[in-house]
Amino acid sequence: MNSTNVLFIEDYENFRTVVIEILKLDETIGTIYEAPTLDDGLIILDKNLIDVIVLDLCLPDANGVEGIEKIICLYPEIPIIILTSIELSRKIIDSLIIAGAYSFISKSQLFKLSLSDSIRNAACFRNMQLLVSGAR
């Protein structure tokens, strides 16, 4: 199985560091790139092969749908997993799915739910999409 390269866009440095250290324990995850802002993340995306993006919903330079739309516009083939510390209404979840989010994980549930499993699932989904479209 190929390793999955992940871009983690999260402005809170301490949280980002802890999550990255946990992800490093998963042998299926390859390189983990990190960015504190969406703009920094877009620079990383431009220069590296990324399989899955983990995106904080509230960033200094983009919030919610805006951040997803910017990424999807440039990189529609990369699944985006949303991390959030706020409770999302059904209406907000629907708008994020319509914008292109693959899945959601609450930061408070992050250690009960496996971010690694979500990343693996998103990478498999991407690979299936690429095979169907003939891009691989």
Side-chain angles (χ1 to χ4, degrees):
M1 177 179 207
N2 294 335
S3 60
T4 301
N5 295 328
V6 177
L7 171 58
F8 186 23
I9 306 173
E10 163 66 53
D11 59 323
Y12 185 51
E13 184 177 3
N14 291 340
F15 181 75
R16 195 173 65 235
T17 301
V18 168
V19 171
I20 288 171
E21 288 305 312
I22 292 169
L23 291 177
K24 286 180 181 177
L25 300 173
D26 187 328
E27 294 176 0
T28 66
I29 294 180
T31 303
I32 304 168
Y33 299 90
E34 60 181 291
T37 66
L38 182 63
D39 287 340
D40 291 334
L42 292 174
I43 291 169
I44 291 169
L45 281 163
D46 190 46
K47 296 179 181 179
N48 301 280
L49 178 61
I50 304 296
D51 299 303
V52 177
I53 299 167
V54 178
L55 178 67
D56 183 10
L57 191 58
C58 300
L59 294 166
D61 59 344
N63 281 311
V65 171
E66 174 190 355
I68 296 169
E69 288 177 341
K70 282 184 180 180
I71 294 170
I72 293 290
C73 180
L74 298 169
Y75 306 95
E77 74 283 359
I78 304 176
I80 301 170
I81 298 171
I82 299 295
L83 278 182
T84 182
S85 58
I86 59 174
E87 194 67 33
L88 299 177
S89 70
R90 185 73 225 167
K91 183 177 178 180
I92 292 172
I93 290 172
D94 289 345
S95 67
L96 294 170
I97 290 171
I98 290 168
Y102 173 77
S103 68
F104 305 87
I105 298 178
S106 168
K107 288 181 180 179
S108 65
Q109 297 294 313
L110 185 64
F111 301 108
K112 289 182 183 176
L113 303 172
S114 174
L115 180 57
S116 292
D117 286 344
S118 294
I119 289 170
R120 277 192 298 279
N121 291 339
C124 286
F125 175 76
R126 176 179 187 253
N127 290 339
M128 286 189 300
Q129 281 185 314
L130 293 174
L131 286 173
V132 168
S133 70
R136 253 200 190 179

